[in-house]
Amino acid sequence: MYVVTGGAIKLTRTMQEREHTMEQLEKLNRCKAYMRAYGVFDQDSFVELTNE
C-alpha cells in the first residue's frame, strides 16, 4: 500500500538541498503527523481511517 502526497524528481543527495524537494518533504511530514494523530500505524488502521 502506498500513500501519494505529491512528487518531485530528486537529483540531490538529500531532500533538504532544493526548494521543490523540501516542499515535498514537508508534505510527507504533515501526512505522517496526521496519520499518527489518528492512530494509523499499519495497513489495517489506514483502511479503517479511510472507511470512516
Side-chain angles (χ1 to χ4, degrees), residues 3-50:
V3 176
V4 178
T5 62
I9 297 174
K10 183 177 164 289
L11 300 173
T12 57
R13 184 176 171 116
T14 68
M15 292 185 76
Q16 290 85 357
E17 295 178 45
R18 299 291 303 265
E19 185 177 337
H20 71 284
T21 54
M22 285 181 3
E23 290 172 7
Q24 297 307 315
L25 183 58
E26 178 57 32
K27 287 181 186 180
L28 287 169
N29 288 330
R30 284 195 313 259
C31 182
K32 182 168 70 171
Y34 177 88
M35 285 196 241
R36 284 186 176 166
Y38 284 90
V40 176
F41 54 89
D42 62 5
Q43 184 174 344
D44 291 335
S45 57
F46 178 79
V47 170
E48 191 174 306
L49 175 68
T50 59

